[in-house]
Amino acid sequence: MTPTIVFIHGSNANSFTFAPLQRELALLGRRSFAVDLPGHGFDAMFPEAFQTQDAAGIAEAPSNLAGVTLQDGVDHLVPILKRAKDNGPVIVLAHSRGGATLSALGNAHPELIDRMVYATAWCPIDRPIGAYMALPEFGASVLDEAAAVLAADPSVLGAIRMNWRTGDPKLLAVLKESMLADGSDDEFRVFLASLQSDENLDVGGDARVNPETWGRIPKSYIRITKDTSIPVALQDVFIKEGNALTPDNPWDVHTIETSHVGFLVRPERMAAILAGLA
């Protein structure tokens, strides 16, 4: 039976960002489904203050993602994957922060996933996410500089709010480097416009993968070598730790020479890899 490839987006993103990849997969005869996690896609909110760039209004407007948890994302995915399983095997791909959701899903519901694919995605194995950020392999990341895009106090708002419509040229340059350094300025601005302002705070805390459940699902890691958000050296740490945790079920590894979201803008190579897995 033909597999369904299910996509889980990263931080402040949504199902829309997978549209070019889904088009390419359709031309290769592969079925796919892009998920909007709770509070994303057309369920997202943009405070009116974003239209006028009223900084005080942006900082103070309530967020519909306040209190939303990682578990809410898992609960949202379960009925979707059950329906997909009715039509054959299910491959689930997570990008970036979406890896935390995929890991939690694999821990709790391995029966719903026939293969996990992490595309330059977080995959805490030996330590929590925060501890990976202290490793030297994370040193090449520009995420600390990009954090200037924060537009509200997360502890007050109860969510993470980004002002992607900033006009600060230095910040825009850092954001481009963190996402799409190998893309044109126009491609970067189009991608930036697809992002939503808010993201939930909960990324799983100390949650790590469970070798008894997550560890028995076939898994692939797609290394993105020019990534300056999750450097390839850190991606290789996830691969090394995963192989040590489940030596009888090692990672199936692929490599794409692009930036953090480059494969979403130019999806041909990623589509070919996924078509092969399917």
Side-chain angles (χ1 to χ4, degrees):
M1 299 177 72
T2 303
T4 301
I5 304 169
V6 177
F7 295 113
I8 303 175
H9 58 76
S11 179
N12 298 86
N14 47 57
S15 63
F16 312 157
T17 58
F18 289 109
L21 178 54
Q22 289 188 278
R23 288 197 296 267
E24 192 68 23
L25 283 168
L27 294 177
L28 296 174
R30 300 301 189 269
R31 183 170 59 214
S32 65
F33 182 94
V35 172
D36 281 310
L37 293 173
H40 293 73
F42 282 111
D43 288 333
M45 63 162 288
F46 278 91
E48 187 175 344
F50 271 96
Q51 297 300 324
T52 59
Q53 283 295 284
D54 171 12
I58 293 172
E60 296 169 0
S63 174
N64 68 337
L65 281 170
V68 173
T69 66
L70 181 71
Q71 186 60 48
D72 291 327
V74 172
D75 293 342
H76 178 74
L77 279 160
V78 167
I80 292 171
L81 296 188
K82 285 181 176 178
R83 291 181 63 188
K85 284 285 284 185
D86 288 342
N87 298 303
V90 173
I91 298 170
V92 184
L93 178 145
H95 177 230
S96 194
R97 175 177 158 144
T101 304
L102 177 53
S103 292
L105 184 66
N107 281 346
H109 298 282
E111 75 284 356
L112 297 178
I113 307 172
D114 292 281
R115 176 171 290 276
M116 304 178 292
V117 181
Y118 289 74
T120 188
W122 289 97
C123 186
I125 293 173
D126 287 352
R127 66 204 91 202
I129 283 181
Y132 285 100
M133 293 182 173
L135 295 178
E137 289 86 354
F138 186 70
S141 176
V142 300
L143 284 183
D144 285 345
E145 297 175 67
V149 76
L150 278 170
D153 184 343
S155 66
V156 175
L157 189 67
I160 301 169
R161 175 163 291 162
M162 311 287 203
N163 182 12
W164 303 115
R165 297 178 185 176
T166 177
D168 182 339
K170 291 184 178 179
L171 178 54
L172 285 169
V174 171
L175 291 174
K176 184 173 187 290
E177 183 181 358
S178 72
M179 299 179 191
L180 192 60
D182 56 347
S184 70
D185 289 344
D186 283 328
E187 287 173 330
F188 166 66
R189 285 189 286 265
V190 170
F191 183 80
L192 205 64
S194 76
L195 299 178
Q196 58 188 67
S197 62
D198 290 8
E199 186 54 76
N200 65 293
L201 277 172
D202 182 21
V203 73
D206 193 31
R208 306 174 207 184
V209 298
N210 183 340
E212 302 303 318
T213 51
W214 178 94
R216 70 172 189 250
I217 305 169
K219 56 185 183 291
S220 299
Y221 203 102
I222 301 179
R223 302 167 69 250
I224 304 298
T225 59
K226 297 180 181 179
D227 195 336
T228 54
S229 289
I230 305 175
V232 68
L234 185 60
Q235 299 170 46
D236 288 340
V237 170
F238 299 140
I239 293 168
K240 180 180 178 181
E241 291 181 353
N243 286 342
L245 182 71
T246 59
D248 294 331
N249 180 25
W251 292 102
D252 160 59
V253 180
H254 303 264
T255 298
I256 302 178
E257 301 283 340
T258 190
S259 55
H260 189 65
V261 303
F263 72 89
L264 296 171
V265 177
R266 292 174 292 279
E268 293 81 6
R269 171 65 177 147
M270 177 65 80
I273 291 171
L274 295 177
L277 295 177

